[in-house]
């Protein structure tokens, strides 16, 4: 998601530096080799684990870890599908899991080899995207909501998505550059599902987004965090973990979970068909499920832990924050992202791109 513009003359040198840097990063937690049976190769989102936990796992288990990262579910899926690279453990989002199951890219979990999964929150388990958690268990979870700069806007005046259409917020809102997130927001203001498949209803959502245009300052991804930290916009849409980071850097920011919808999402442990060290994969999952490790990871990353015991180990000021650990009744109105099928995903992306290009 980050772009670097360089002069042509420096490209070769920079690529050389990046290649060396990547090699160092991949092996910084130990002298690991992809061909070594004692190595666990992990493929995860960027900045999504406490590096100290990898070192601790290596020390305790005797395994070496190669830790690679991806920036989108689609990039991860493509690498696994190609099959040329061995990965022992991956972390797909819930909306990607049904597709990977359909494509036979995941192997079933042997639950008798899992230690600690019984401690995971009931409301995250046995979801439609993976009934009985046959292929996955939760790693992190969170919501999507509204960041508000209280120095510029009274956050108590914003309760849900519908408030973002108010005319006084002209040129104030940073919108997430994501079709599912942004169309989902519009759909929910229309009392429709964020997993809507009906073309007529999707068109209604685009028309609703057209009415939001005057209030949109920019459509961005990671840059939203920086702009909110620097007080460059009063309102930003984002994930709860991003909001936690922004709030730690800028005390004026408040995170509002919308009362007219919102989403619960999970990223998940899963074992791909490329696995070469199955026992090492289970060892790492079980290590991360240990409450003290799950709590440490949640504090480092900023997203909510699915471990009920780990939650008890976290600071009260964190777990009592209803924006990050909502009450059960608040979560009842939220939806999980579902995989909608290739045609529907393309329709969402096309509609969103057309709207975005018109800004």
């Amino acid at each position: 998601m980050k772009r670097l513009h360089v002069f042509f003359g420096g490209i070769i040198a920079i690529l050389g530096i990046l290649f060396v840097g990547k090699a160092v990063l991949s092996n910084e937690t130990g002298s690991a080799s992809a061909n070594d049976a004692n190595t666990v190769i992990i493929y995860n989102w960027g900045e999504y684990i406490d590096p100290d936990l990898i070192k601790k796992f290596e020390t305790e288990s005797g395994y070496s870890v190669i830790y690679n990262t991806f920036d989108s579910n689609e990039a991860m899926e493509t690498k696994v599908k190609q099959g040329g690279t061995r990965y022992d453990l991956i972390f797909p989002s819930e909306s990607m899991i049904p597709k990977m199951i359909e494509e036979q890219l995941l192997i079933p979990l042997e639950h008798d080899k899992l230690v600690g999964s019984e401690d995971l929150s009931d409301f995250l388990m046995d979801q439609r995207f993976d009934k009985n958690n046959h292929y996955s268990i939760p790693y992190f979870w969170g919501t999507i909501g509204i960041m508000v700069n209280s120095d510029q806007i009274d956050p108590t005046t914003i309760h849900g998505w519908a408030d973002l259409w108010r005319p006084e917020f002209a040129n104030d809102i940073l919108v997430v550059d994501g079709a599912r997130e942004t169309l989902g927001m519009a759909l929910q203001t229309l009392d429709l599902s964020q997993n809507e498949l009906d073309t007529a209803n999707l068109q209604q959502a685009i028309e609703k987004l057209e009415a939001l245009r005057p209030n949109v300052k920019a459509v961005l991804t990671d840059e939203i965090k920086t702009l909110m930290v620097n007080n460059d916009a009063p309102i930003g849409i984002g994930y709860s973990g991003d909001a936690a980071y922004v709030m730690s850097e800028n005390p004026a920011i408040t995170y509002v979970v919308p009362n007219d919808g919102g989403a619960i999402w999970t990223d998940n442990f899963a074992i791909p068909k490329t696995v070469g060290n199955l026992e090492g994969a289970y060892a790492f999952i079980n290590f991360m499920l240990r409450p003290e490790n799950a709590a440490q990871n949640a504090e480092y990353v900023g997203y909510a832990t699915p471990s009920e015991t780990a939650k008890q180990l976290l600071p009260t000021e964190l777990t009592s924050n209803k924006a990050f650990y909502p009450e059960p009744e608040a979560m009842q109105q939220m939806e999980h992202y579902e995989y909608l099928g290739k045609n529907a995903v393309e329709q969402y992306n096309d509609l969103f791109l057309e709207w975005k290009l018109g800004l």
Side-chain angles (χ1 to χ4, degrees):
M1 294 183 187
K2 297 178 178 66
R3 294 182 175 88
L4 179 64
H5 296 280
V6 297
F7 290 106
F8 178 78
I11 289 177
I12 295 176
I14 290 173
L15 287 176
I17 293 171
L18 289 175
F19 179 81
V20 172
K22 181 178 180 182
V24 172
L25 287 172
S26 295
N27 294 281
E28 63 183 357
T29 54
S31 55
S33 166
N35 296 320
D36 186 351
N38 202 46
T39 296
V40 181
I41 305 177
I42 296 170
Y43 200 26
N44 198 359
W45 298 86
E47 300 179 1
Y48 214 34
I49 195 170
D50 184 341
D52 287 342
L53 287 171
I54 297 179
K55 296 174 184 176
K56 181 181 176 182
F57 170 75
E58 290 185 316
T59 300
E60 288 189 7
S61 69
Y63 287 112
S64 295
V65 171
I66 293 177
Y67 188 88
N68 294 328
T69 64
F70 56 85
D71 60 10
S72 74
N73 279 294
E74 291 73 21
M76 176 272 299
E77 178 214 7
T78 298
K79 288 284 284 186
V80 173
K81 185 184 294 187
Q82 289 172 342
T85 304
R86 171 189 146 198
Y87 296 114
D88 299 315
L89 189 63
I90 58 175
F91 295 79
S93 300
E94 58 185 23
S95 59
M96 179 56 68
I97 287 174
K99 184 180 182 185
M100 297 189 77
I101 294 172
E102 183 180 291
E103 295 173 335
Q104 299 183 332
L105 299 180
L106 304 179
I107 67 170
L109 294 176
E110 298 177 60
H111 282 262
D112 60 343
K113 291 186 176 181
L114 295 173
V115 180
S117 60
E118 67 281 356
D119 191 44
L120 299 177
S121 305
D122 288 342
F123 70 90
L124 297 174
M125 302 292 282
D126 193 26
Q127 292 297 316
R128 286 175 56 182
F129 68 88
D130 184 15
K131 295 299 291 182
N132 299 313
N133 297 95
H134 196 48
Y135 291 91
S136 66
I137 57 172
Y139 172 66
F140 273 128
W141 71 279
T143 61
I144 185 168
I146 306 165
M147 292 177 279
V148 183
N149 189 315
S150 60
D151 288 341
Q152 302 175 56
I153 294 173
D154 181 357
T156 64
T157 65
I158 297 180
H159 305 284
W161 296 131
D163 291 314
L164 302 182
W165 273 258
R166 284 160 34 192
E168 62 263 36
F169 297 145
N171 198 40
D172 278 347
I173 302 172
L174 302 175
V175 174
V176 174
D177 191 1
R180 292 296 302 276
E181 294 88 345
T182 302
L183 271 166
M185 172 185 69
L187 285 162
Q188 289 181 331
T189 63
L190 296 168
D191 292 325
L192 297 168
S193 170
Q194 68 175 8
N195 300 305
E196 183 62 57
L197 291 172
D198 184 85
T199 299
N201 288 337
L202 289 173
Q203 191 58 48
Q204 284 188 57
I206 287 296
E207 292 170 4
K208 185 71 175 179
L209 286 178
E210 288 293 333
L212 187 67
R213 280 188 189 278
N215 292 2
V216 177
K217 186 178 184 71
V219 179
L220 302 166
T221 50
D222 288 346
E223 297 88 348
I224 291 178
K225 291 184 290 185
T226 302
L227 293 174
M228 294 299 295
V229 167
N230 294 334
N231 299 307
D232 290 326
I235 300 173
I237 299 168
Y239 288 99
S240 51
D242 292 339
Y245 166 76
V246 172
M247 293 167 67
S248 70
E249 297 293 315
N250 185 345
I253 303 301
T254 297
Y255 181 67
V256 178
V257 176
N259 62 6
D260 52 358
I264 295 178
W265 55 265
T266 60
D267 289 327
N268 306 273
F269 296 100
I271 299 177
K273 69 169 187 177
T274 59
V275 63
N277 185 351
L278 188 60
E279 295 306 314
Y282 280 110
F284 190 83
I285 294 173
N286 292 338
F287 173 85
M288 295 302 296
L289 288 176
R290 277 165 40 188
E292 68 273 20
N293 294 335
Q296 178 179 332
N297 204 31
E299 280 202 85
Y300 180 88
V301 175
Y303 284 107
T305 177
S307 168
E308 290 295 326
T309 303
K311 182 179 174 181
Q312 297 172 20
L313 301 177
L314 292 169
T316 304
E317 60 269 22
L318 176 61
T319 56
S320 63
N321 189 328
K322 299 302 184 290
F324 299 100
Y325 289 90
E327 295 287 1
E329 56 268 25
M331 291 190 288
Q332 287 176 1
Q333 69 182 359
M334 300 180 191
E335 297 180 90
H336 286 266
Y337 286 112
E338 297 179 7
Y339 175 60
L340 304 180
K342 180 181 178 181
N343 291 338
V345 169
E346 289 178 354
Q347 185 176 20
Y348 269 75
N349 290 340
D350 290 344
L351 287 169
F352 178 68
L353 180 60
E354 183 178 353
W355 172 78
K356 187 171 65 170
L357 291 176
L359 289 171

